[in-house]
Amino acid sequence: MNIVSQTTAFGGMQGVFMHESDACKCDMTFAVFVPPQAIKEPCPVVWYLSGLTCTHANVMEKGEYRRMAAELGLIIVCPDTSPRGNDVPDELTNWQMGKGAGFYLDATEEPWSENYQMYTYITEELPAHVSQHFRMDMSRQGIFGHSMGGHGAITIALKNPDRFKSCSAFAPIAEPSTADWSAPAFEKYLGPDPAAWRKYDACALVADGARFPEFLIDQGKADGFLENGLRPWLFEEAVKDTDIKVTLRMHERYDHSYYFISTFMDDHLKWHAKRLA
């Protein structure tokens, strides 16, 4: 693991690191904040998955999570959103496909399947890697994210309820298989049969029997992507006849930006800390 940068913040360490990924077949960059409590004992870890066009840096620079994470004793891991490199397939004029748009799935279609194995990277390779280098209590893991990353967090939690004890999301893509800005990417990554998309769609996963105890979702009512891309009410409807609890909070005047995310970041970290205690 190569150290890109390390700096002290709120008594802890904010670092950026790079390693060679077997899953994505390229070098991958990620950020980790380690709170001061980790000097004495392993700490719970919360994974943050970013949205379309983002890297690890967006939440690290704009998310304002370090003060509360240090207070609560949470390790925060922020992966990249896709494979990177000159040899990685991309659509240069399409921000909803390719680099920065991995959708946290394992692609099955060429040319994407060679590198775009983000589900395996997030759920298997990166946890195994970081747990060797940081004092993490891997029996206490939570996951959250924004937009495409909110979709990723919810679907990963639904598919791994024994691993994760908490999940939340900011403005998630609730039903990506039917959303304007994700369905075309799903077809390119996973092929033309919508049945293959279901394991990466939160609403479909619930319909197919996947379960997770509870979710916290925050959504801005002034979000320009709300009606055609995000539609969190679809997930609320999907869980209606299940034992899954969804706390959906709709906020007047808030948009899709990190101004929105940073406003409610403390709430989400407290949500996770309570369930990881």
Side-chain angles (χ1 to χ4, degrees):
M1 185 175 72
N2 296 319
I3 299 172
V4 178
S5 65
Q6 284 183 306
T7 191
T8 300
F10 297 98
M13 183 278 297
Q14 176 65 68
V16 178
F17 307 92
M18 181 179 292
H19 74 123
E20 184 177 349
S21 167
D22 291 332
C24 297
K25 295 180 173 59
C26 64
D27 288 337
M28 294 293 285
T29 303
F30 61 94
V32 180
F33 175 73
V34 181
Q37 293 87 336
I39 296 173
K40 297 181 178 180
E41 61 185 6
C43 291
V45 55
V46 184
W47 302 82
Y48 179 90
L49 307 183
S50 291
L52 286 162
T53 75
C54 292
T55 69
H56 69 279
N58 294 73
V59 68
M60 185 182 76
E61 296 170 355
K62 305 174 186 177
E64 301 182 18
Y65 58 78
R66 278 171 288 272
R67 179 188 60 80
M68 184 55 65
E71 179 179 322
L72 298 171
L74 299 175
I75 294 174
I76 310 295
V77 182
C78 309
D80 202 348
T81 56
S82 76
R84 306 280 177 175
N86 293 334
D87 297 329
V88 173
D90 192 20
E91 291 188 1
L92 294 176
T93 60
N94 183 4
W95 62 276
Q96 298 168 337
M97 187 71 196
K99 295 178 187 177
F103 279 97
Y104 304 103
L105 52 75
D106 282 350
T108 58
E109 302 299 300
E110 297 293 342
W112 313 103
S113 57
E114 178 72 10
N115 302 98
Y116 286 78
Q117 301 294 308
M118 289 299 295
Y119 179 82
T120 294
Y121 177 71
I122 296 295
T123 61
E124 297 180 17
E125 184 177 21
L126 188 56
H129 181 73
V130 295
S131 63
Q132 297 177 19
H133 295 278
F134 303 97
R135 194 170 288 175
M136 297 177 169
D137 184 349
M138 299 301 279
S139 69
R140 294 187 290 163
Q141 295 186 65
I143 189 167
F144 67 150
H146 171 232
S147 194
M148 177 184 72
H151 133 76
I154 293 173
T155 56
I156 288 172
L158 283 167
K159 295 166 71 171
N160 299 273
D162 294 333
R163 176 181 298 184
F164 297 99
K165 297 183 180 299
S166 59
C167 181
S168 68
F170 301 100
I173 306 173
E175 193 175 73
S177 63
T178 64
D180 290 350
W181 61 350
S182 49
F186 272 41
E187 183 170 2
K188 292 175 183 177
Y189 284 137
L190 302 171
D193 184 2
W197 308 356
R198 296 183 67 83
K199 62 182 178 178
Y200 301 111
D201 184 301
C203 293
L205 282 167
V206 171
D208 293 342
R211 295 293 181 265
F212 196 79
E214 56 183 339
F215 298 92
L216 169 64
I217 297 174
D218 277 310
Q219 173 66 61
K221 287 187 177 182
D223 191 322
F225 302 109
L226 179 59
E227 295 293 335
N228 294 325
L230 306 172
R231 306 170 298 164
W233 50 82
L234 295 180
F235 187 62
E236 196 174 39
E237 181 68 25
V239 305
K240 184 173 291 185
D241 295 324
T242 74
D243 57 356
I244 300 173
K245 180 181 178 182
V246 173
T247 300
L248 173 60
R249 306 192 303 185
M250 303 293 295
H251 301 281
E252 298 286 351
R253 302 188 306 279
Y254 284 94
D255 60 14
H256 199 66
S257 71
Y258 268 90
Y259 297 112
F260 157 65
I261 295 169
S262 62
T263 299
F264 300 102
M265 178 62 76
D266 282 4
D267 289 356
H268 284 246
L269 294 178
K270 290 175 182 177
W271 167 276
H272 289 279
K274 182 178 180 180
R275 286 150 184 82
L276 299 176

